Each structure stands twice: as C-alpha cells, then as structure tokens.
Amino acid sequence: MPPCNAAPGQFVVDSPRSNTLAQVSAPLNISWHYSDLTNKQRFPARKVSIFYQFADDNNPKAEWKLIADVNRTFTNYTWTVPSAQDGQYMVRLVADDFDLMQNPSLTCYPDTFPAASSSAKFKIMNSAPLANYPDTMGPSMGGAERNPVWLGIVAVAAILVFSVFEVWV
C-alpha cells in the first residue's frame, strides 16, 4: 500500500452552501463530486455515508447523525430535513466508514482515497423565512397634506370652489 497522505483524494461538497436556508420537513439537495486527486478505479468506495451535525462552536465534538448510506456512484441526495432546532448545521461525506475524525484508530487516508469532507455551515429553520417583496409605495410622507401632488390637487380644488362661491354670492 502506498504511503499515507502523500496525495489524498477528497469529497468536494457542492451543496448545501453557506447561504443555504433549509426548512424543517422540506427537501434539501446535498450534492458533491470527487477531487482530481481521487482515484476511483484504484479505490472504488462501496458506499458513501452522509451525516449531519448541529454546528455549535461551543461543542466542536457534537455527534454526527447518519442521514443515509448511498451507492458510490451517486453524487447527490435529496434529504427531507428532520425536526431540529433552529441554527447552523453541516453535512459530512464519508467513504466506506473511513473517517479519521470519527475513528481515532485510523491514522491517515491512503494515497488517492477519498478523504471525508464537511460542507460549509448552513442554516436550518423551523418556519419558512419571510419573503422579501419590493416596496412599490415609497416612503410614507405622513399624509396627503405633505405629498406635493395631493397638495396641488387640493389647491386647484380650493380655487375652483372659491371661484364658484364668488360667482354665486
């Protein structure tokens, strides 16, 4: 077997990204590809395990929970987000249960084997975020008396009323 860590391959997590907002009970696409250093002919993984974790900076050793084991040929998975507290989360991809972070008895990744990899932190929310709509009304001026268009209309109407009133008087 070649020396460890000389040229380890790696999973590259494409999604979720740091700007992803996932909602509980909604689907979330998890996608990935292998780095160029991964030799899939030499080390064909039998399975890819997908995990998730609450990304709490105060608890860096929080438990990774299994989402699914998928076929090694897959490069995406649609996950229905389970009930979870609002906050930052990460997903992690592991080939053939070979993860140095979760198994301290392992010392290194074999050369060109796909090393485990985690996503950027993304947000899971229990309720849907409020939709942003453009403000088509503009800022409030505090009433019609301060709006120049209304002020002009009121002035013209006042002139007409006084003109009619003077004619009748």
Side-chain angles (χ1 to χ4, degrees):
M1 188 173 250
C4 286
N5 292 325
Q10 183 176 0
F11 288 105
V12 178
V13 181
D14 298 318
S15 68
R17 296 179 182 211
S18 61
N19 61 349
T20 300
L21 289 173
Q23 185 179 345
V24 168
S25 300
L28 173 67
N29 185 49
I30 300 169
S31 64
W32 63 91
H33 67 275
Y34 292 93
S35 70
D36 291 339
L37 294 175
T38 303
N39 183 338
K40 292 189 286 185
Q41 277 66 41
R42 185 168 171 216
F43 288 112
R46 291 180 302 280
K47 69 175 180 174
V48 175
S49 299
I50 308 169
F51 297 90
Y52 77 103
Q53 175 193 60
F54 181 66
D56 183 0
D57 291 334
N58 296 324
N59 186 9
K61 297 202 183 249
E63 177 187 1
W64 287 95
K65 297 177 183 175
L66 182 66
I67 295 172
D69 288 326
V70 298
N71 187 294
R72 66 184 174 93
T73 61
F74 291 6
T75 56
N76 65 52
Y77 181 80
T78 301
W79 176 42
T80 300
V81 179
S83 179
Q85 73 182 65
D86 288 354
Q88 298 285 328
Y89 287 80
M90 294 187 301
V91 296
R92 185 166 180 80
L93 303 170
V94 178
D96 296 337
D97 301 321
F98 204 93
D99 189 357
L100 302 181
M101 181 186 291
Q102 295 183 30
N103 188 347
S105 67
L106 301 173
T107 57
C108 65
Y109 292 103
D111 208 25
T112 70
F113 187 83
S117 183
S118 299
S119 70
K121 292 179 183 179
F122 64 97
K123 186 172 270 192
I124 291 180
M125 299 175 63
N126 278 286
S127 58
L130 296 176
N132 291 326
Y133 294 102
D135 181 5
T136 58
M137 300 301 287
S140 173
M141 299 297 285
E145 68 277 358
R146 294 188 186 160
N147 186 325
V149 174
W150 281 108
L151 208 57
I153 292 171
V154 169
V156 169
I159 292 170
L160 287 173
V161 168
F162 286 118
S163 299
V164 170
F165 182 71
E166 284 181 18
V167 171
W168 285 43
V169 175

